[in-house]
């Protein structure tokens, strides 16, 4: 199942459209237990961005997690499959 099958966008409001576009989106997300959960997120669109990569020096490894990120989804990244 792709992310698009788990997201129902309910409302999108543009809060700013100047240097960047700021939108507030209310959507429902299908949780792993089968329940739909209503959520709200603000997304800033200034083009592609960067993030940090967490590193654990004691174990000499990076820390990764699988987590739904609405801004990535709304920008067309629908290839994260959930088990």
């Amino acid at each position: 199942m792709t992310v698009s099958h788990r997201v129902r966008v309910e409302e999108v409001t543009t809060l700013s459209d100047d240097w960047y576009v700021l939108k507030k989106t209310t959507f429902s997300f299908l949780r792993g237990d089968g329940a739909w959960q209503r959520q709200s997120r603000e997304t800033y669109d200034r083009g592609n961005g960067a993030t940090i990569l967490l590193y654990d020096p004691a174990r000499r490894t990076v820390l990764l997690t699988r987590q739904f990120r609405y801004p990535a989804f709304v920008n067309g990244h629908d290839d994260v499959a959930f088990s």
Side-chain angles (χ1 to χ4, degrees):
M1 177 182 299
T2 62
V3 176
S4 63
H5 292 98
R6 298 181 71 164
V7 178
R8 293 181 185 158
V9 176
E10 298 169 7
E11 182 179 2
V12 179
T13 305
T14 301
L15 303 176
S16 176
D17 189 9
D18 193 17
W19 177 251
Y20 55 85
V21 178
L22 172 61
K23 293 181 180 180
K24 180 175 182 178
T25 303
T26 302
F27 61 94
S28 291
F29 183 75
L30 181 60
R31 299 179 351 175
D33 64 2
W36 285 95
Q37 181 179 41
R38 188 177 169 109
Q39 300 183 13
S40 180
R41 297 288 185 274
E42 291 182 2
T43 55
Y44 296 89
D45 187 352
R46 291 188 62 201
N48 292 329
T51 187
I52 63 170
L53 184 61
L54 298 176
Y55 180 73
D56 182 346
R59 294 188 298 168
R60 299 183 62 190
T61 187
V62 295
L63 305 176
L64 302 175
T65 184
R66 186 182 336 194
Q67 181 181 26
F68 172 68
R69 306 300 291 172
Y70 183 77
F73 170 75
V74 78
N75 282 311
H77 297 280
D78 184 27
D79 57 352
V80 178
F82 290 88
S83 45

